[in-house]
Amino acid sequence: MTKRNKIIYWIATLWLALGMASTGIVQLIPLKEETEMMKHLGYPLYFLTILGVWKILGVIAILIPKSALLKEWTYAGFFFAMSGAVFSHLFCGDPAKELFGPLLLIVLTLLSWYLRPADRKLILNKIKA
C-alpha cells in the first residue's frame, strides 16, 4: 500500500466514522427533526434506535484492528443503510440537498473499503480442485 493510499484510507475512514457516529448519536437522541423525518419517510420511530445502535457498533468495528470479516459486514451495512436513505428520500420526492449526506457517506464507505490495508481485508483461501 502506497503512502498516498494509506493517507486517503485514514482520512476517508475517520470522516466515515465521524459521520456515522454523529448521525448514530443523533438517532439515539430522538430529536424532533429526526422523528419528523422518519415519519415523512414512512418508517416507524423505533427504526431510529436500531440505526443509531448499528451505526455506533459499526464505527467501533471499522476502527478496531483485525476482525476482517466483521469489517466486511460493517462496510456492507453502511452501504445498504446509506443507499436505503438515498432511495427513501428519492421515493418521497425530497429535494436533492437531502441526498448529500447519505451520498457522501456512501463515497467514504467505498473509499475506506477499497483502500483498507491488507491486515483489514478478508482473505479467502482458494480451494484447489
Side-chain angles (χ1 to χ4, degrees), residues 47-62:
F47 202 54
L48 284 171
T49 304
I50 294 169
L51 283 173
V53 169
W54 284 348
K55 285 180 180 181
I56 300 299
L57 292 174
V59 167
I60 294 167
I62 63 165

Side-chain angles (χ1 to χ4, degrees), residues 27 33-45 47-48 51 81 84-95 98-99 102:
Q27 289 167 334
E33 295 83 9
E34 288 295 311
T35 57
E36 287 175 0
M37 180 188 60
M38 287 307 247
K39 288 177 186 175
H40 167 71
L41 295 174
Y43 294 110
L45 293 182
F47 202 54
L48 284 171
L51 283 173
V86 168
F87 285 110
S88 294
H89 285 293
L90 286 172
F91 290 142
C92 287
D94 289 343
E98 297 297 329
L99 305 178

